[in-house]
Structure formats: structure tokens, C-alpha cells
Amino acid sequence: MTQPPAGQPPRGPHPPRGHRGPAAFGPPQGGHGYGPPQRGFGPPPGGPGTPPRGFGPPPGLPQGPPQGPPLGPQPPAPPQGERLQPKKGPRGKAIAIVVAMLVVLGLGGFAAWKLVGPGAGDSAPAAADGGDAAAGVPSSCSLVSGEDLNAVLGDGGWTALDTGAAVGRVYDSRLLAGVPKSCWVTDSLNEKLSRVARYDGGDAAARFAEEKRKAQSGAFLGKDVSAGDEAFCTTPDESSSAAGALVRRGGTLIYVGTTAAGADADAGCALAVQLVEKVR
């Protein structure tokens, strides 16, 4: 029988009839083909629970659930450019309280200093015994009477109060400052203000000289005047608008400073010397 040319499949049924047999049909030789695998069905190699190859992350990568946004409410993000402020702990709160107390104490001390210290204002305080200076309350000064004030300074509805060692620039405390015997005097309009002070001691002469040096260094020393054993005048300056006179009589020093004469220093000194003569 004639053979087909080489390279072409033979025509007719396959395989040729003469070669048909049990091996012509079914799975290929070697056990591979259709049907269950040779090892049968069951767990894959490596034991139960081992996932088949091809699933899951590649070897070497971290296992675990995918990372997502945190659950639950989150604090709002600060505006762009704003820095988060740390919360104050107990120590921070304690420091804040101490600072606040120091500020309050400082303001209170400053107010007290402005009221009776060298920086006192130009307004006269109310009467210490509850009276009103503007209403012309009778004098309560132990150094000078209301009649003597009217006789020297004029009838101005004067109020005189014992103030002890209190110091106030508006009442001319430049000399004999802090002595225990002192009075503040004001008229009914709180415009004309005076101070009367007395010092008694065996060192009165030395104290007089010291007060005179103080007036000279402070640039408010006026002329010497004839009164008592020795005396000199004081003039207005930046710290006080009063003029006055310091007089020594033996072991007693008396100082009077007043604004009753206005800016006239000589007239103010003359009124002060006259009032000194009335001081008890």
C-alpha cells in the first residue's frame, strides 16, 4: 500500500485500524490525564490548614489584617500653621496660681503706695472719723485748732485730721516724714492742702541740720527766716506744690507745708511761720 508523504498526518481513522487496542483510548500512559490525582483527595502537602500556593501575601511580608484608619472619634486637627499647646498639669496650675497671687499683691501694694506714699495723687482723702472734708467737719487735729486755721489761712471750712506717721506727697511730707505727730488739713473744696508735723527729742538740733541738708540736696531749700531758735523756708518742687517752714524751738521741731498761697513760695512760707506759732 502506498504511504502518504512524510510530514503529513495519514488520512483515515486514527489510529489506524491495525493499531487500535485498549491503549488507543483513555488517559495517556503514566497515570496523568483525566480522573482524580494519583494521591487522591485530601489535605495538601504540609498538613491541614496550609493554604494552596498562589494565595495570600508573598513569603517574607508581615502578616496581619490590613492597616486602616483608627476606630472611634478622633480630636480635630489643628488649623494649618497652629501648634498644639501642651495641657497644663498640676505643677503648671500651681505656678499659674502663684503668679496670679503675686500680681494681685503687687497691684495692691502699688495702690497703697499711690494713696499715702511719695506718689500720692492730688486729691484729699475723706475724714478718718467718718466725716466729710467738703462739709467742713470741726477740726480733730491735736496740734492746731480750727479757729487758729481760720485765723491764719482764712475761713475756708478747714478740716484737720490727726494722721500719725502716714506719708503723702500731696500733704508735703518732704520734711519730718513719718513722725508720729502729724495732721493733714484741707479746705472745703479739697483745693488748699496743708500738713502740720511736730517732733520732740533731745536730738532736735541735729535733726534740724539733717532736714536742712535734705532740703538742700532735694533742691527745695528756701531762705532762712527769723522764728524760734532757727528756721528756714521750703519751696515747691517736682514732688510737691507746697511751700513751708521748719522751725526749731529748743527740743521741738515743727514743720508746716501749705498750698494755701498757691505758687508764691514767699507767701506760703509766711503763712507757714504764722501757723507754726499756733501749734500746741
Side-chain angles (χ1 to χ4, degrees):
M1 184 174 65
T2 306
Q3 298 294 329
Q8 295 184 0
R11 297 181 180 179
H14 299 283
R17 293 182 183 272
H19 296 282
R20 292 181 182 181
F25 300 95
Q29 297 295 326
H32 297 284
Y34 304 102
Q38 291 181 351
R39 296 182 181 180
F41 297 96
T50 303
R53 298 193 176 209
F55 297 94
L61 294 181
Q63 303 293 326
Q67 299 294 328
L71 301 179
Q74 300 296 320
Q80 187 174 3
E82 180 179 350
R83 300 178 59 183
L84 288 175
Q85 299 295 332
K87 295 183 178 180
K88 292 184 178 180
R91 183 177 181 183
K93 293 181 179 179
I95 294 176
I97 292 174
V98 171
V99 171
M101 292 178 63
L102 292 177
V103 171
V104 172
L105 291 176
L107 293 177
F110 178 76
W113 179 80
K114 291 291 288 183
L115 180 62
V116 298
D122 291 335
S123 60
D129 57 357
D132 186 355
V137 177
S139 173
S140 62
C141 175
S142 61
L143 298 178
V144 66
S145 66
E147 291 79 6
D148 291 336
L149 290 173
N150 290 332
V152 175
L153 302 178
D155 188 3
W158 301 97
T159 298
L161 303 172
D162 280 318
T163 56
V167 175
R169 184 186 66 183
V170 67
Y171 289 99
D172 192 5
S173 297
R174 295 174 295 178
L175 299 183
L176 296 186
V179 296
K181 296 179 181 180
S182 179
C183 294
W184 290 351
V185 181
T186 181
D187 68 343
S188 59
L189 300 178
N190 291 345
E191 294 178 349
K192 297 178 180 180
L193 310 175
S194 303
R195 174 176 176 260
V196 181
R198 174 173 175 165
Y199 173 78
D200 296 287
D203 61 340
R207 179 74 181 263
F208 179 89
E210 179 184 349
E211 297 290 346
K212 191 171 185 179
R213 287 192 297 269
K214 183 188 300 182
Q216 185 174 11
S217 62
F220 60 90
L221 176 64
K223 62 185 179 179
D224 292 340
V225 292
S226 177
D229 296 327
E230 52 185 341
F232 65 88
C233 296
T234 59
T235 61
D237 63 357
E238 294 181 355
S239 64
S240 176
S241 58
L246 177 65
V247 179
R248 182 179 70 85
R249 295 188 305 210
T252 298
L253 299 179
I254 299 175
Y255 180 70
V256 172
T258 181
T259 63
D264 191 339
D266 290 338
C269 180
L271 290 176
V273 170
Q274 294 179 42
L275 193 55
V276 167
E277 298 298 328
K278 304 295 184 179
V279 173
R280 299 188 288 266

